[in-house]
Amino acid sequence: MAIILGTFTSVAVAWILVALPRPVPDGGGPLTHGFRPMTSSEGRGTVSCIEVPWRGCTSYRASALGLDKASTARAFGPAPEVVPPIPLRRTLLPWCDGSAPWPVGTSRETRYVVSCGWPLRAIACAVASTAPGTPATRPIYVVIYGWPLPGALARYFPNSTVDNAITLLPTHPLYRGLILDTLLFGAAWFPLLAAPGALRRTLRRRRGHCPACGYDRLGEFATPCPECGCRPRVARVSRP
C-alpha cells in the first residue's frame, strides 16, 4: 500500500509542480543551449537543443533545420546530444541517430518536452512540430506522449503549452526518476500506515486482550490465543 500511495504521490507532486507559475517569465533556471551544423546522406542542416529548468520542472526544445549551405553556420555551446538526459535524447534528437528523416529543404522540425517531478523528474510530455519553409503556413503538431487537455483545463497547465496551440498533461513515465520518487514517498507513507495498527495492538495488550483479534484473555499471554491462534511474544525474565 505504501508503494501504491508513493506512486500516486509522485505523480500528484509532478502535476502540481508543472501547474505552478514559473519564478520569472523566462523560466528561472540557467539556460543551456547546444547548436551545431550537421551533414548527412539526406542533406545539410543545423540541429539545436535548449534546456530551461525551473522549480521541479525542465523544458527542452530541439530543432532541426534544413539549409542549402550548412557550412556557413558555426557551432556553439555543448553538443546538442549532451543537453537532454539519456531517456529523452531519442525523443528530442531523433535526427542525430538516424531514427527520423532530416527535414526536407528549408523546412524545420521541432520537438518539445516538458518533464516534471521532485526530487527527480518522474513524468513527461512531448510534442513534435513540423513547419514548412514558407512562413505563411501554420505548423503541424503531433503528440508524441502526453494527454491533450481541453481549454477548460489547459489554463491550469500553462507550462506545458506549446506555441499557444496545444497543452498536454504529462503522463509518460521516466522510470528511473519515478521509481526513486516512489520509494522516497512510499517510505514517508509507511510510518503513517503502520502507526494505527501498532497503537491498536499496544492498547489491546494493555487491556489484557489478544493484540491480533481483541479477544479478552484476562492478561494471560503464555499460550496461543484460543480465538485466532496468535502467539504473542512474551518478555523473558532472567532467573537469578
Side-chain angles (χ1 to χ4, degrees), residues 204-240:
R204 286 175 175 176
R205 178 180 287 274
R206 288 183 177 180
R207 294 169 182 169
H209 296 180
C210 174
C213 67
Y215 180 76
D216 189 355
R217 303 202 58 190
L218 301 176
E220 196 280 312
F221 296 108
T223 59
C225 174
E227 183 72 16
C228 67
C230 174
R231 294 175 176 270
R233 295 180 180 179
V234 180
R236 295 182 180 179
V237 179
S238 58
R239 297 181 179 179

Side-chain angles (χ1 to χ4, degrees), residues 182-202:
T182 296
L183 293 177
L184 174 65
F185 289 114
W189 274 108
F190 182 79
L192 299 177
L193 297 174
L199 178 61
R200 181 173 59 252
R201 289 189 295 271
T202 300

Side-chain angles (χ1 to χ4, degrees), residues 56-229:
C57 302
T58 307
S59 65
Y60 300 91
R61 185 182 68 191
S63 298
L65 174 64
L67 295 175
D68 295 333
K69 295 181 179 180
S71 58
T72 60
R74 295 183 179 180
F76 64 87
E81 296 89 339
V82 303
V83 174
I86 294 177
L88 297 178
R89 289 179 186 174
R90 187 176 182 86
T91 300
L92 281 165
L93 300 164
W95 320 283
C96 296
D97 61 5
S99 58
W102 193 259
V104 179
T106 57
S107 62
R108 178 191 297 270
E109 184 175 349
T110 306
R111 300 281 180 108
Y112 303 87
V113 172
V114 176
S115 59
C116 50
W118 185 89
L120 299 178
R121 306 298 184 258
I123 53 178
C125 58
V127 178
S129 169
T130 303
T134 56
T137 306
R138 299 184 61 181
I140 300 173
Y141 297 96
V142 177
V143 176
I144 301 175
Y145 42 72
W147 181 33
L149 294 174
L153 296 176
R155 60 191 182 94
Y156 295 107
F157 295 89
N159 294 321
S160 58
T161 300
V162 177
D163 294 341
N164 296 320
I166 185 171
T167 303
L168 297 177
L169 182 68
T171 57
H172 181 73
L174 303 177
Y175 292 103
R176 177 176 176 271
L178 181 60
I179 290 173
L180 294 178
D181 288 355
T182 296
L183 293 177
L184 174 65
F185 289 114
W189 274 108
F190 182 79
L192 299 177
L193 297 174
L199 178 61
R200 181 173 59 252
R201 289 189 295 271
T202 300
L203 293 177
R204 286 175 175 176
R205 178 180 287 274
R206 288 183 177 180
R207 294 169 182 169
H209 296 180
C210 174
C213 67
Y215 180 76
D216 189 355
R217 303 202 58 190
L218 301 176
E220 196 280 312
F221 296 108
T223 59
C225 174
E227 183 72 16
C228 67

